[in-house]
Amino acid sequence: MAELTVSRVSKTFNGTRVLEPLDLTVGDGRFCCMLGSSGSGKSTLLRIIAGLEEPDEGAIRVGSRDITRLSVEKRNIGFVFQNYALFPHLSVQSNVMYGLRARRTPRSTAKRKAEEMLGLVGLGDFGARSPAQLSGGQQQRVALARALVTSPDLLLLDEPLSALDKKIRGEMQRELKRIHQETGLTTVMVTHDQEEAMDLGDQVMMLDHGVVQQNDTPESMYRAPGNRFVAQFLGGQSLGTGVVHGSGPSATVEVGGLSLRTAQDDLREGDRVDVLVMAERVRIVGDDAASTAGTATGLLSAIDFFGPFARAEIAAGELRIPVTMLSQEADALTAGQQVRFAISPEGLHAFAGQWAA
């Protein structure tokens, strides 16, 4: 186990810059999720760390070792591919043993370690099966055991859950958390799913077009997104442009005819800002809250149900305000109904100078 340090690493493919010079430090034993949409550069960075691509510039260290120009097999890094990459002609146990046998580890030792790893991932009784006899989630566990069996200094995961259905994906998320807690292995995972990143990572680095947008704890990134891109990626929906009145923690934002509070303390009088709201921070309140500061009224649009929760939109003056609620809260509501609502200051984000043209 060791700290990962990426210093000023960049990459260009066919004249297109896919990674601007960036820095990343993942502390010993931490779980870092690299989050971003397709084309953000996250998988390229992961492959550079693994040694599958060479950087144009910069350096990569794992602990005290500079691995920038080392071959893949000399980096002592475990890598789990998105498509599992299991050998179909080998048994589950032989798949897990493969890396050890390639290192000329005695067969008896390799077999013992493979059995230990299969036990760790909950497949202790599956060693004799072939990959074709396993479900997608089980195959992913085999790939994870194979990456762990060589006792790597660092574990890299490339969208390991994207091919799984929702139920299995949730189970694998819990398994990854458990295994990370048990091994304490420094881990970097690529994902485009914000919920995966927030659940698994104790550190999240968000990328867009090869540029780091924010590198923070999940809680800090959600509560205080560093810019409009981050807020929108995490589910923030634009209310349009507004104007700040007051300054510091007492400032309000006037947008679409409403005066709204935000928890930010970096706004200044007269700032023109792009305003985004988190739908889960909007709540419908009872009529007894009519005199409460920070509430307003609007008309509820059609309600969409998604099992345990529901989504709707409130038309309030010029604004269309999204709201997410529990399904039982939506049961008493109907489209076209006038409702009173409140927006939590922590759910309203304003960014000066970043509005769309």
Side-chain angles (χ1 to χ4, degrees), residues 80-86 135-137 139-141 143 146 160 163-164:
V80 177
F81 295 90
Q82 182 177 349
N83 62 355
Y84 319 142
L86 300 179
S135 67
Q139 290 184 46
Q140 190 61 283
R141 293 183 192 212
R146 184 178 60 186
L164 305 177

Side-chain angles (χ1 to χ4, degrees), residues 98-114:
Y98 185 84
L100 293 174
R101 297 294 289 155
R103 298 182 182 193
R104 303 189 182 281
T105 302
R107 183 173 181 81
S108 59
T109 302
K111 182 179 179 181
R112 175 178 55 79
K113 289 187 175 182

Side-chain angles (χ1 to χ4, degrees), residues 2 7 11 44 52 60 80 128 144 146 165 188 194 228 235 275:
S7 304
K11 184 65 177 180
T44 297
L52 300 173
I60 304 164
V80 177
L144 183 58
R146 184 178 60 186
D165 63 42
V188 180
Q194 66 176 59
R228 186 188 192 281
V275 185

